[in-house]
Amino acid sequence: MSGFCGSPPPSPAPRPPPLFKAGPALSGHPRGLKLPVWPVHPVFPASPRIPPVRPQAPLHPRPLPKGPNVPLQCAPFFVHPRPLPSAPLPCAPVPSRAPPSRVRPSPCVPAPRRAAAAARGEGAGAPRLVPGAQRGPGQQRRDVTAGRGRGSRRAGGEAGEVFSSFKKAGGRARPCVRARLRGSELARGVAAPDPSGRARAPGRRAQGSEPPRRSQGPGRALPRAHTPPDDFPPGRAALSPRPGLPFPETRPRRLGEPAPPVPPPAAPLPAAAARMPSTSFPVPSKFPLGPAAAVFGSGETLGPAPRTMKSAEEEHYGYAPSSVGPALRLPTTHSSLPAPCHDLQTSTPGLVLPVEHPAGYGAALDGGPAGYFLSSGHVRPNGAPALESPRIEITSYLGLHHSNNQFLQDTEVEDVLPSSKRSPSTATLSLPGLEAYRDPSCLSPASSLSSRSCTSEASSYESSYSYPYASPQTSPWQSPCVSPKTTDAEEGFPRGLGACMLLGSPRHSPSTSPRASVTEESWLGARSSRPASPGNKRKYSLNGRQPPCSPQRSPTPSPHGSPRVSVTDDSWLGNSTQYTSSAIVAAINALTTDSSLDLGDGVPVKSRKTTLEQPPSVALKVEPVGEDLGSPPPPADFAPEDFSFQHVRKGGFCDQYLAVPQHPYQWAKPKPLSPTPYMSPTLPALDWQLPSHSGPYELRIEVQPKSHHRAHYETEGSRGAVKASAGGHPVVQLHGYLENEPLMLQLFIGTADDRLLRPHAFYQVHRITGKTVSTTSHEAILSNTKVLEIPLLPENNMRAVIDCAGILKLRNSDIELRKGETDIGRKNTRVRLVFRVHVPQPGGRTLSLQVASNPIECSQRSAQELPLVEKQSTDSYPVVGGKKMVLSGHNFLQDSKVIFVEKAPDGHHVWEVEAKTDRDLYKP
DNA sequence: ATAGCTAGTAGCTTCCAGTCA
DNA sequence: AGTGACTGGAAGCTACTAGCT
């Protein structure tokens, strides 16, 4: 934990709004706020602990925009003194910040892409890792020369030597001969020898061997190199003010405006002119921030620059920290629409969303004229061509929520109008996802963000309560933005679009984690005419139009027999042929176990399905029916054909949905949108959404776990119990329980993505024992999910210190190879501790309560290098500066910068200024 | 416009070594 | 001193992405 104390210097110009407000998120949630950030360019390649290698480029405050009452959207950004990864400048030797015993490797810039380097005339050897330089963890061990990253590392030469010099004395020194399969070899399935002689762990894939490489379907990981859209204003590339240079114009190009001249790529900028770090940590602001173009300032082509600290969530959680996300409590106009609520829901109760937010997001969100981010081909309301960017896509989702029938609206529009003829104001975007169609034969896990399988026994929730349009599990196209979510204001499950935008942003990841977002891929696919991978190359004729219902936001039916099978892939592919394709029929037929199901017989699919399909286990479940939330929840199952046929043939999705006759036997009542107390003689499945309080009872996490915990593999030793951020361990307490009978607290590892909370497929709770563990626990297996049972004793006031719970990471390959598993583990490294307690009630029933912790990032890297603001002393601030703000968190450097940024509604930087930090108060 | 290939690299998994109880 | 758990770091690999042909 380290802290900063600083204050922004007085603004260069008076600013009407007296305050910019930083949301309380940082104080309440380590994640802070999410900015809808553009793909931040250089993803932190090196540790922020690395000292600067070049003079700091002083920030030049940009004159504040004139005009009264311009809402100020500011957020402080941390700037880490770090060279830009792509800047191929020599890294000057810098004193190591690491303890003497451990020298951190160089943060030297990553090798630029060949083309870029070539364009700059940087031959092999131009950028070079200078001996003595350091490399940050997570940064590729590369020689920064023209050679391949790793392969050439030990091939001798300077870089290799440099690298070796940083090796720990006892480090492994295996021969590193890159065993890389050429594409042709891959195609042939030729396994390359493992020159390292390393035994391949069971379940570990050999190159070119099974399982077949996943298609990079939508939802696959983000591109690692984020490239601004073509029409991205070049000025944005220099958000970091260059001394002596005017602040770059970051305004997007307007329609018809000639493309700005491409800046000469050649000479690397002088150090001082280096672009400001792209990564930034926006301190929450109550001013809704526009899309974080700030982070765009990353210099991929410019010289190294001090690196901006990017929030951990932005970098690792796959979404961009923003004040918008948490800050916008956006109306979910369609109550039946799943909200993109997620981890922050329960854990970030403090997020305050501005009621009033300026145009921009707000406008879009509130159903005003569709966002200013329209997909390519559209024009923004202001006349500017829509940036071909993730934000465009995000906005497209906004369209879903514009009205009370988002789906209806969108799909109708999509149906009726060719995308090219649609008015931009409709906010319905021509979804580019079709270009990213995956091969229907590839039911790829890549489609899913989540870490949970529907087919899991523990995962009855979605299988029995799958939103037809929003089951992310069943639809690889499903965007997190339309992920089925419960709506519960009490639980802090914002169904706002802000979160949707953020989570659905290409930066999301992480989701990360979670990062792999369906939308990412599909949207990215839109930006590039090429599919991302061979598995994604197949294109489907759309007859020149968008699919009537974009998979990304459309019902994703889940065949009951195999809910996790991505039938939606095929079904959506079928969409492209207006749902009459034999492919969809074949897919559905293949997925259904009921051979009697004839999709072509004209019998309404709905009625047929309700009679034919439903696993008994699901059918017998009696789930509480939620209160009327304004619109009936979708039926439990909704086959692809349901949506497609009905919608396409009859019009509005919702209409059709509502028109579906209910089967007399309500074997699968929809789950309530808001968790309601579960009271039943049987215990709810682990993936059921339960409330944290009911009546007098409340299950509460008194002490939240740290935001980072490095999970251990089975091949490793334990890495200890999850700890609390302030030391100690998480504490959970059941309030309102006055009986004398002890209860059992259940703990399992749940997902932390934007979808429904459920057991995490790639992480399990691990029981910690030892002298330091004071809490007794017992391991149990519930539906393939390891559950730790911890007694809650009345004598302890029904309070338990969770010092016995570690997190075990399962190999992705092992999990992904599971039958029916459609989730991917890559970048799916966020988890939550989920606690449950079952309170006996009169009549033999049990009241089940559940609470989930803040998200915990379990990867190694993030814990090492990502700056993380955990606290800020104030959340509002005079724009003119002069006050002090104390920031505390992790991975700060003494040289880190804090930058306050104002962004226009369309995301470009209007104003930014570097805070004056009191480095004397920097405390590691 | 598409497909195949290559280079580059983010992230994953395993291993090593140091520290501490 | 020995042991084991914990911890941090990093090696080596896989898999993915972007660019080029």
Side-chain angles (χ1 to χ4, degrees):
Chain A
M1 169 90 64
S2 56
F4 274 115
C5 183
S7 62
S11 300
R15 186 74 181 162
L19 294 178
F20 90 79
K21 292 213 165 206
L26 286 181
S27 56
H29 194 285
R31 302 225 170 297
L33 295 176
K34 301 183 227 175
L35 264 181
V37 200
W38 276 80
V40 174
H41 211 297
V43 178
F44 277 110
S47 164
R49 298 192 182 101
I50 304 306
V53 295
R54 51 172 51 219
Q56 303 284 320
L59 283 174
H60 287 248
R62 184 182 187 179
L64 290 169
K66 301 186 178 77
N69 302 323
V70 178
L72 180 56
Q73 304 171 356
C74 290
F77 282 72
F78 284 118
V79 181
H80 253 316
R82 166 176 292 192
L84 290 174
S86 57
L89 295 181
C91 296
V94 288
S96 171
R97 215 172 255 293
S101 59
R102 293 185 180 187
V103 179
R104 295 181 72 98
S106 163
C108 211
V109 296
R113 294 204 172 275
R114 269 181 309 153
R120 291 188 295 265
E122 297 155 359
R128 197 166 284 272
L129 190 62
V130 180
Q134 294 177 320
R135 175 176 63 81
Q139 188 174 8
Q140 275 305 316
R141 296 172 285 275
R142 61 182 72 86
D143 55 11
V144 196
T145 58
R148 300 276 302 276
R150 305 180 69 106
S152 57
R153 178 164 55 82
R154 291 178 191 266
E158 183 181 326
E161 293 164 9
V162 170
F163 175 78
S164 347
S165 69
F166 289 111
K167 285 189 61 180
K168 288 188 353 186
R172 285 180 296 180
R174 299 193 193 92
C176 174
V177 178
R178 177 130 177 105
R180 184 186 180 88
L181 279 182
R182 304 172 78 93
S184 56
E185 291 169 324
L186 278 172
R188 293 194 303 268
V190 178
D194 188 352
S196 66
R198 194 164 170 174
R200 198 171 290 280
R204 196 162 182 177
R205 289 174 205 159
Q207 283 178 325
S209 64
E210 61 78 29
R213 182 172 172 177
R214 298 177 188 286
S215 73
Q216 301 174 23
R220 212 46 198 165
L222 280 175
R224 297 195 168 83
H226 303 288
T227 306
D230 295 334
D231 59 349
F232 189 77
R236 287 201 187 195
L239 283 175
S240 302
R242 298 167 52 172
L245 295 180
F247 207 86
E249 176 55 70
T250 58
R251 161 182 78 80
R253 226 184 333 145
R254 296 182 182 278
L255 187 62
E257 188 175 339
V262 177
L269 292 173
R275 219 165 22 163
M276 221 32 202
S278 62
T279 49
S280 52
F281 197 109
V283 171
S285 167
K286 285 184 176 176
F287 286 90
L289 298 181
V295 293
F296 233 99
S298 66
E300 50 184 340
T301 57
L302 301 179
R307 186 182 135 187
T308 304
M309 289 173 70
K310 183 168 60 173
S311 67
E313 57 269 38
E314 177 182 349
E315 171 67 14
H316 284 271
Y317 302 144
Y319 53 77
S322 155
S323 60
V324 172
L328 293 178
R329 198 170 294 271
L330 301 166
T332 302
T333 50
H334 195 299
S335 56
S336 67
L337 250 190
C341 60
H342 122 49
D343 46 274
L344 299 178
Q345 325 118 338
T346 55
S347 58
T348 318
L351 292 178
V352 175
L353 310 176
V355 176
E356 70 290 339
H357 44 272
Y361 281 107
L365 299 175
D366 292 341
Y372 33 86
F373 297 138
L374 299 173
S375 60
S376 60
H378 293 289
V379 178
R380 298 186 186 183
N382 62 2
L387 294 182
E388 208 172 8
S389 80
R391 279 181 293 175
I392 297 171
E393 299 128 21
I394 292 170
T395 307
S396 74
Y397 284 97
L398 298 180
L400 293 178
H401 307 266
H402 270 215
S403 64
N404 287 335
N405 54 349
Q406 300 94 337
F407 277 118
L408 180 57
Q409 174 181 352
D410 271 353
T411 52
E412 279 178 337
V413 174
E414 295 274 344
D415 253 348
V416 173
L417 290 175
S419 59
S420 59
K421 295 182 179 179
R422 261 174 246 139
S423 164
S425 64
T426 59
T428 47
L429 307 178
S430 59
L431 298 176
L434 290 172
E435 299 213 358
Y437 273 126
R438 298 162 43 198
D439 189 319
S441 66
C442 182
L443 301 178
S444 168
S447 61
S448 174
L449 268 182
S450 98
S451 56
R452 186 63 189 169
S453 164
C454 284
T455 50
S456 166
E457 298 169 28
S459 190
S460 65
Y461 180 92
E462 287 190 0
S463 59
S464 63
Y465 183 60
S466 60
Y467 286 102
Y469 45 79
S471 170
Q473 303 218 342
T474 55
S475 172
W477 293 89
Q478 182 57 52
S479 160
C481 292
V482 287
S483 296
K485 279 295 177 184
T486 60
T487 301
D488 189 354
E490 287 182 4
E491 293 297 314
F493 282 34
R495 305 190 60 166
L497 297 173
C500 175
M501 294 188 300
L502 297 167
L503 298 170
S505 84
R507 282 292 304 165
H508 172 52
S509 98
S511 243
T512 115
S513 84
R515 296 276 292 274
S517 160
V518 169
T519 41
E520 294 165 2
E521 196 69 19
S522 48
W523 291 117
L524 291 171
R527 301 196 299 182
S528 168
S529 62
R530 292 184 50 197
S533 77
N536 203 16
K537 285 174 181 174
R538 180 169 169 182
K539 296 190 80 172
Y540 294 83
S541 169
L542 298 179
N543 299 327
R545 50 179 290 184
Q546 294 285 349
C549 308
S550 171
Q552 279 97 339
R553 52 185 163 176
S554 62
T556 356
S558 173
H560 278 292
S562 178
R564 280 183 73 90
V565 177
S566 299
V567 66
T568 43
D569 288 16
D570 295 338
S571 54
W572 283 119
L573 293 172
N575 279 348
S576 64
T577 55
Q578 303 196 17
Y579 311 98
T580 56
S581 159
S582 61
I584 186 173
V585 176
I588 295 168
N589 282 338
L591 290 168
T592 180
T593 55
D594 192 332
S595 60
S596 65
L597 178 62
D598 181 6
L599 298 175
D601 58 6
V603 176
V605 179
K606 190 60 190 176
S607 54
R608 195 171 49 233
K609 279 196 73 67
T610 52
T611 58
L612 293 178
E613 299 179 11
Q614 186 63 26
S617 61
V618 175
L620 294 178
K621 265 183 183 162
V622 180
E623 296 190 44
V625 179
E627 302 83 15
D628 183 10
L629 295 172
S631 75
D637 70 314
F638 199 90
E641 62 275 28
D642 291 348
F643 173 75
S644 59
F645 290 155
Q646 295 176 2
H647 167 73
V648 169
R649 293 173 183 170
K650 298 182 183 178
F653 161 69
C654 292
D655 289 346
Q656 291 314 309
Y657 164 72
L658 294 173
V660 171
Q662 292 292 322
H663 193 275
Y665 175 51
Q666 299 260 335
W667 47 262
K669 288 184 179 178
K671 269 214 162 184
L673 289 178
S674 60
T676 58
Y678 177 87
M679 207 178 295
S680 166
T682 61
L683 298 181
L686 295 181
D687 56 349
W688 283 26
Q689 312 301 301
L690 302 174
S692 62
H693 58 89
S694 175
Y697 308 109
E698 179 180 6
L699 184 62
R700 190 188 308 166
I701 298 178
E702 302 294 342
V703 177
Q704 288 283 349
K706 281 177 67 174
S707 55
H708 287 112
H709 176 84
R710 181 171 164 183
H712 66 273
Y713 286 83
E714 292 168 310
T715 54
E716 291 183 309
S718 169
R719 292 194 173 271
V722 175
K723 297 175 182 59
S725 55
H729 296 277
V731 175
V732 178
Q733 186 170 7
L734 174 64
H735 296 266
Y737 182 77
L738 304 177
E739 309 297 325
N740 289 326
E741 291 296 319
L743 298 179
M744 196 62 76
L745 180 71
Q746 292 182 326
L747 164 61
F748 62 94
I749 304 300
T751 57
D753 57 25
D754 56 311
R755 300 191 294 168
L756 293 176
L757 174 65
R758 71 195 72 215
H760 207 297
F762 297 91
Y763 292 90
Q764 297 280 357
V765 66
H766 173 245
R767 179 173 173 242
I768 304 291
T769 58
K771 291 175 288 189
T772 60
V773 177
S774 62
T775 304
T776 60
S777 61
H778 171 261
E779 271 185 356
I781 302 292
L782 296 181
S783 305
N784 291 329
T785 299
K786 195 179 287 185
V787 176
L788 215 54
E789 295 181 335
I790 301 163
L792 281 178
L793 304 176
E795 52 264 38
N796 292 339
N797 204 17
M798 304 304 286
R799 181 183 176 97
V801 177
I802 314 299
D803 60 354
C804 54
I807 302 178
L808 170 69
K809 173 70 166 65
L810 304 176
R811 278 197 300 265
N812 293 340
S813 57
D814 292 345
I815 303 305
E816 290 167 358
L817 288 175
R818 277 183 188 167
K819 182 178 181 181
E821 179 63 53
T822 59
D823 293 332
I824 58 172
R826 189 174 174 87
K827 294 186 178 179
N828 194 351
T829 55
R830 296 169 65 214
V831 308
R832 280 184 283 180
L833 302 182
V834 185
F835 300 94
R836 274 191 180 185
V837 67
H838 307 289
V839 184
Q841 298 293 299
R845 299 195 136 202
T846 300
L847 172 68
S848 298
L849 302 176
Q850 170 178 300
V851 64
S853 73
N854 290 345
I856 303 171
E857 173 60 48
C858 292
S859 65
Q860 171 190 4
R861 177 174 164 242
S862 60
Q864 292 178 346
E865 61 184 42
L866 288 182
L868 183 68
V869 174
E870 291 194 335
K871 278 185 182 176
Q872 62 186 78
S873 61
T874 180
D875 59 358
S876 65
Y877 216 89
V879 168
V880 294
K883 287 184 70 178
K884 275 192 177 179
M885 171 187 284
V886 179
L887 302 175
S888 57
H890 298 277
N891 298 332
F892 296 171
L893 290 181
Q894 199 165 11
D895 300 321
S896 296
K897 291 182 176 181
V898 180
I899 300 175
F900 295 85
V901 177
E902 177 190 0
K903 294 175 193 141
D906 61 352
H908 73 271
H909 275 198
V910 174
W911 170 85
E912 76 178 38
V913 65
E914 178 186 0
K916 180 182 176 183
T917 55
D918 189 346
R919 308 199 186 280
D920 294 338
L921 294 179
Y922 166 79
K923 288 183 285 186

